[in-house]
Amino acid sequence: MDFDARLAPYAAHSSKSRGRTHIEPPAGSRSEFQRDRDRIIHSTAFRRLEYKTQVFLNHEGDLFRTRLTHSIEVAQIGRTLARSLQLNEDLVEATALAHDLGHTPFGHVGQDVLNECMKDYGGFEHNLQSLRVVDELEEHYGAFDGLNLTFETREGILKHCSLTNARQLGELGRRFMDRSQPSLEAQLTNLADEIAYNNHDIDDGLRSGLLTMAQMEEVELFARHRRMVETQYPGLPGRRALYETIRLMITAMTADLVETSRALIAEAAPQGIDDVRAAPPLIRFSPEMRAETTALKRFLYANLYRHFQVNRMRVKASRIVRELFEAFLQDPVLLPNDYQVEGESEEMRMLQARKIADYIAGMTDRYAIREHRRIFSLDHF
């Protein structure tokens, strides 16, 4: 079966994949990237995303986005974009569904605090943790640790990486040292992620009451599409008008990205994926759309992500993560047996800290809260 028949020559062809760390027989009726996607969906880490924070903590409301729903939205937007550019939809979907597998509980604050806690033990990067999840931590197969994903999917998961860590990753980390590019599919998934969170954070912010429609209309990108909805549907009720506005914004962003990227690809004329890696980034917004999305992100940062009510929860979440880490490091016997490391050497202490980071990063929001209560609350004897 030719899974790559409709793809452009510069797309990532599953038949030309750089392969897996552990050699396996062909996937039969599935392409290699479809097999990756299926393994990700069936992983334990993927299921945990249902109870991990996007902006609002899991218990704050049933309708706010979670890491799971966000990942699905990224995959949907990514597949649409990939189809328009004749790129590999299956690779985009696999990368999108896996890109947050290593994210901590409590969103970015959890990551920041865990990185601070790990500063003497190699630090913590959530992209690198996502790679660690699929390479080592998942336990589903008899022949190997992890999910044994293809090079291309692993490459797309690793959006950012410090040079120190890149040097330890061999071929996968090379592009961070020689400043080459990943596949177009990886570049596209990165921007599909941005489109998804920019737009759904507007919805969640308004639903929560932390943002108002009057505030949002200060952002030209939003205000312009809001006026378009009012012209087409005079008197449309508030929530339906909001959904129409967000729908138009997503359409505008995706159309701009496709048009701009198509022109850049035509100019660079890559004949294959190796040419893509040697070229500058080819999946981009136009300068005008980039300016507007940057203005939107700055608005959301100032008015939503740093809203005092969100900051109160950030402080609580920071305390939970930090106190759990410190307690586990001081008394590893508090950890489940699989996460305890025997030995007092510096190497064993480094390994113990990394195991603690794995344990905390794998927690859902509510499990982290529960663990903190078990350890520190006098009501739990």
Side-chain angles (χ1 to χ4, degrees):
M1 185 180 298
D2 189 353
F3 297 103
D4 303 327
R6 63 170 299 277
L7 299 180
Y10 45 76
H13 291 233
S14 60
S15 59
K16 299 178 182 178
S17 169
R18 293 193 187 184
R20 305 175 188 276
T21 302
H22 304 277
I23 298 174
E24 298 184 64
S29 60
R30 298 174 293 170
S31 74
E32 294 303 321
F33 301 144
Q34 288 171 352
R35 174 190 261 179
D36 282 356
R37 175 204 60 205
D38 296 347
R39 288 182 173 182
I40 291 160
I41 288 173
H42 289 279
S43 69
T44 303
F46 185 72
R47 292 195 298 278
R48 288 182 181 138
L49 296 180
E50 181 178 2
Y51 298 106
K52 288 195 176 188
T53 290
Q54 189 64 26
V55 174
F56 298 94
L57 299 195
N58 180 258
H59 68 273
E60 294 183 283
D62 292 339
L63 298 180
F64 295 126
R65 266 71 173 191
T66 65
R67 289 282 165 192
L68 179 62
T69 59
H70 165 68
S71 297
I72 293 170
E73 290 183 16
V74 176
Q76 179 270 315
I77 292 170
R79 289 198 69 125
T80 299
L81 292 168
R83 191 177 307 120
S84 299
L85 292 169
Q86 290 183 274
L87 300 179
N88 198 309
E89 294 179 48
D90 297 324
L91 175 56
V92 168
E93 183 177 29
T95 303
L97 294 176
H99 82 282
D100 270 350
L101 291 182
H103 228 301
T104 60
F106 311 125
H108 287 285
V109 65
Q111 170 190 278
D112 294 342
V113 173
L114 199 50
N115 186 40
E116 290 173 13
C117 293
M118 287 289 292
K119 66 180 184 298
D120 296 328
Y121 308 101
F124 180 88
E125 302 173 19
H126 87 265
N127 281 146
L128 197 63
Q129 187 69 14
S130 294
L131 187 67
R132 183 169 165 80
V133 167
V134 301
D135 281 358
E136 300 180 44
L137 301 183
E138 284 290 320
E139 298 178 329
H140 288 258
Y141 302 94
F144 46 77
D145 292 333
L147 303 181
N148 197 32
L149 303 182
T150 61
F151 176 93
E152 291 76 12
T153 300
R154 296 168 64 236
E155 173 187 57
I157 292 172
L158 198 63
K159 292 193 299 185
H160 312 289
C161 184
S162 66
L163 290 179
T164 300
N165 286 321
R167 294 187 185 100
Q168 301 174 27
L169 293 175
E171 190 63 25
L172 193 68
R174 183 177 300 279
R175 67 183 172 93
F176 297 100
M177 293 180 284
D178 62 19
R179 299 184 183 277
S180 59
Q181 304 305 317
S183 68
L184 292 180
E185 287 80 2
Q187 297 178 42
L188 183 150
T189 306
N190 191 20
L191 288 178
D193 183 24
E194 181 178 331
I195 292 170
Y197 69 67
N198 272 343
N199 285 282
H200 64 48
D201 286 355
I202 295 172
D203 182 18
D204 285 351
L206 288 167
R207 180 183 294 278
S208 69
L210 302 189
L211 296 178
T212 66
M213 194 64 72
Q215 283 179 300
M216 285 307 313
E217 289 181 354
E218 297 173 9
V219 181
E220 174 54 30
L221 181 62
F222 181 88
R224 183 171 68 252
H225 291 94
R226 174 76 170 175
R227 291 193 296 269
M228 293 168 62
V229 171
E230 290 173 349
T231 299
Q232 187 173 1
Y233 302 104
L236 191 66
R239 183 140 296 276
R240 291 179 67 184
L242 171 62
Y243 288 150
E244 280 290 336
T245 302
I246 291 175
R247 183 177 67 83
L248 291 180
M249 288 175 63
I250 293 175
T251 299
M253 289 181 185
T254 54
D256 178 273
L257 187 145
V258 167
E259 181 180 354
T260 304
S261 301
R262 189 174 282 148
L264 289 170
I265 292 168
E267 182 179 357
Q271 299 303 300
I273 195 170
D274 289 340
D275 292 340
V276 167
R277 299 185 189 284
L282 298 178
I283 306 295
R284 284 187 269 172
F285 291 119
S286 67
E288 296 77 16
M289 181 59 76
R290 171 49 69 199
E292 291 199 311
T293 59
T294 298
L296 173 59
K297 285 195 285 188
R298 287 173 177 165
F299 170 87
L300 291 172
Y301 184 86
N303 294 280
L304 179 60
Y305 309 144
R306 288 297 178 262
H307 190 283
F308 79 91
Q309 288 183 234
V310 175
N311 281 337
R312 287 178 179 178
M313 189 52 66
R314 284 172 57 85
V315 170
K316 292 179 183 179
S318 297
R319 181 175 177 178
I320 289 171
V321 172
R322 183 174 286 106
E323 290 182 352
L324 282 175
F325 184 90
E326 290 171 354
F328 292 143
L329 191 62
Q330 182 175 344
D331 293 302
V333 293
L334 296 174
L335 290 161
N337 291 338
D338 288 349
Y339 291 91
Q340 295 182 29
V341 176
E342 294 185 4
E344 299 297 328
S345 69
E346 183 62 24
E347 181 182 356
M348 291 299 100
R349 186 169 174 81
M350 293 283 287
L351 180 58
Q352 181 64 82
R354 183 59 59 188
K355 287 272 194 178
I356 293 169
D358 289 340
Y359 184 51
I360 294 175
M363 293 179 181
T364 62
D365 295 1
R366 62 185 185 180
Y367 185 80
I369 293 169
R370 194 179 304 133
E371 275 288 82
H372 189 270
R373 287 175 179 163
R374 285 171 180 155
I375 293 173
F376 295 101
S377 174
L378 295 179
D379 294 331
H380 287 265
F381 274 101

